[in-house]
Structures are given as structure tokens and as C-alpha cells.
Amino acid sequence: MSERVRRVGFIGLGDIGEPMARNLCGAFDEVVVHDLRAEAVARLVASGAKAAASAREVGERAEAIGVCVLDDAGTRAVIAGADGVLAGAARGTVVAIHSTIHPDTARELAELAAARGVDVVDAQMTGGRALTEQKKLRYMVGGSPQALARVRPLLECSAGEITHCGGVGAGAVAKLCNNLVQFQAWQGYVDAFRIARAWGLPDEALLGVLGWILNDNARVFLASRTALERDPGNAPLRERFTAVMRLAEKDLHLAVDVAYRLGVSVPGAALCAQQMARLFAVPDLQRR
């Protein structure tokens, strides 16, 4: 059995990454964090973490590291860039990728890491900031059982459930499938409300009818979308919805690409990917 991990690192202190990193504080001898935004790092330092000037420094100081950045390009840079984790990590280090990325990217980075004696798992999660703070995230993990065992203490700091899905890349596939179902369900909800409102059916009545298939996440989405429809000039809400829309487009296009490479036809997913701006009530951003 591998020795208990004592020094951990976290890179990417965004909306979900920040509370994930905060949950690590106090659970290990040392928590080292890095982000391009000094104010985000400062908040974690106030919670007991220590700051690192680069991803490389995190690699030098931590035995297990979580990475939660925006996309494939950012994940590659943070892990395999000239000043990335692998430039400083010792043999035996394990890196958990939380970013929603293409499974081929996860496997590519795992191969690069293996050449340096470093393990990679793609520990994708779902649940959002609220469930992160409640330590109820659901993790979908791809990687070896040994690597998962070593990084599991980090995941357990934020997890309600951890599912080992298979080898590296399997976590990313599971996450893309999860998101695909969620976004297509939202498309159905939005269309249902358009029909109901055109008829004159009150939102409350339809919510009551659909209650058995609506979860809290969908209710929040629909409430926010309705608020933006009624007040298109609500800049903070519009900015947030636009940011989430772009992430949704990224994830759906990744899912469609994976399906294409596997020879699987997913016309519904492709259509949904094209409908994100309409779905998020920012139709003037619709791609041409």
C-alpha cells in the first residue's frame, strides 16, 4: 500500500476549483495552490493554503495535485507546459484532472506523465459550486486503481460519490455523457415552457406537472433563464449565462467529436450544440 499523501496541490481556483481547494485545507499537512488571479490565491491563503508562483512549483511541492482549469489547452499548459506540473513533479506524484476535456487529451497527458514516473487520472465531477461546498460532488474517474487509491483522499474532501469508470479517458467520456443528457433535458424543458406559455398555461402549473422529472439544478436554470428573458439588460445574469453557454458548447462539441471518432451517430447532440444560445436566452450570440 502506498504511503499516505501529506502534501497536496491544487491549480485553478475558479467557481468550483476554489471551494474544492478550500475543502483540502486542514485535511493534509500542506496545501499548495496556484491560479493566475492573485485575489483567488489570497482567499485560499487566508483559509490556510500556501501560494505557489507557478504550476511547476506546485509539482515540486506536492505529492498529489488537482487541476481544474477551463479547457484542453489550459490543461495541457498547466500539466505539460514548459512551466507546468511535470517540469517539477517527482516520480510517484499523481495528478487528478478535474477539467472537462476530450478523453484523448487525458490519455495524451497520461502518456507524457508516465514517461516521468507520474500518474494521471481524469477525475471529472458534477454538482456545481453548491454541492462542492456541501462536499457532495459526484466524481467519475478514469485511471488505474492504484492511482485512484493514491488520489482518493483528495477527492473524498469534496465527494458524495466516487465512481471508477475504467482506464484513463473513461472519466472524461462519462462526464461528457452526463453533460449531454443534462443539456438535452434542458432543451426539452425550454421547449415545453415555450409551448405552455404560448397557450397561456402558468409556469407554476407546468412546474407542478413536471415536478417528478425536474431536479433543483433544472429549476435554478429555468428561473434564471426566465429572469433574463424578462430583463435582457441584466448584465451580471447575462454574463454568467453567456459563460455557461460557452462551456456547454465546448462540452457538447467534445461529445459530438468523441461520437464521430467512435462511429456513433448522435444527431440530437449535434442539434443541441447548435441551440445553446437560444437555450440560454442569449440568441444574438447564436453561432452562424
Side-chain angles (χ1 to χ4, degrees):
M1 177 177 286
S2 60
E3 184 180 349
R4 182 177 77 87
V5 170
R6 298 177 182 277
R7 294 175 290 108
V8 303
F10 204 93
I11 301 168
L13 305 176
D15 189 55
I16 297 178
E18 182 174 337
M20 288 176 71
R22 185 172 290 111
N23 289 344
L24 301 174
C25 294
F28 300 91
D29 293 352
E30 183 176 83
V31 178
V32 183
V33 299
H34 174 67
D35 192 276
L36 296 178
R37 296 166 300 127
E39 65 275 14
V41 174
R43 287 193 294 269
L44 263 295
V45 170
S47 296
K50 296 182 179 179
S54 66
R56 177 174 185 157
E57 184 180 345
V58 176
E60 292 170 344
R61 295 169 59 180
E63 303 162 80
I65 301 162
V67 174
C68 190
V69 295
L70 182 62
D71 54 19
D72 292 60
T75 303
R76 283 194 186 93
V78 161
I79 295 177
D83 207 25
V85 168
L86 294 182
R91 298 183 69 84
T93 301
V94 59
V95 178
I97 300 174
H98 303 306
S99 318
T100 302
I101 58 172
H102 198 292
D104 287 351
T105 301
R107 292 194 288 193
E108 168 198 329
L109 291 172
E111 290 179 5
L112 291 173
R116 294 174 176 263
V118 174
D119 283 315
V120 165
V121 299
D122 51 314
Q124 312 284 294
M125 74 288 186
T126 184
R129 185 181 183 97
L131 291 186
T132 307
E133 293 173 341
Q134 296 170 32
K135 302 182 180 181
K136 293 181 179 180
L137 284 180
R138 291 173 52 232
Y139 282 98
M140 301 149 275
V141 185
S144 72
Q146 296 79 10
L148 173 55
R150 188 156 170 77
V151 80
R152 182 178 285 273
L154 278 74
L155 307 185
E156 289 177 339
C157 287
S158 296
E161 180 182 338
I162 300 172
T163 301
H164 186 203
C165 298
V168 174
V173 171
K175 175 63 181 292
L176 292 175
C177 290
N178 175 86
N179 286 5
L180 174 60
V181 170
Q182 174 176 284
F183 295 135
Q184 287 192 291
W186 285 1
Q187 180 73 66
Y189 298 148
V190 168
D191 287 348
F193 272 84
R194 286 171 65 89
I195 293 171
R197 287 171 179 171
W199 178 264
L201 187 68
D203 286 358
E204 294 74 16
L206 186 57
L207 282 170
V209 171
L210 298 178
W212 66 281
I213 60 171
L214 277 172
N215 57 31
D216 290 341
N217 183 273
R219 292 179 187 277
V220 170
F221 166 74
L222 288 168
S224 298
R225 185 184 190 280
T226 298
L228 185 56
E229 284 181 315
R230 291 173 177 169
D231 181 15
N234 186 328
L237 184 56
R238 180 184 174 86
E239 181 179 349
R240 178 165 180 79
F241 252 39
T242 299
V244 177
M245 178 200 79
R246 286 174 173 153
L247 287 174
E249 288 181 330
K250 172 184 74 74
D251 294 352
L252 284 166
H253 283 102
L254 287 175
V256 171
D257 182 73
V258 171
Y260 175 79
R261 292 172 188 240
L262 293 173
V264 176
S265 177
V266 287
L271 178 60
C272 191
Q274 295 176 351
Q275 291 289 306
M276 283 295 103
R278 172 180 172 274
L279 179 60
F280 280 88
V282 283
D284 54 305
L285 295 181
Q286 181 69 53
R287 304 297 187 259
R288 292 184 179 275

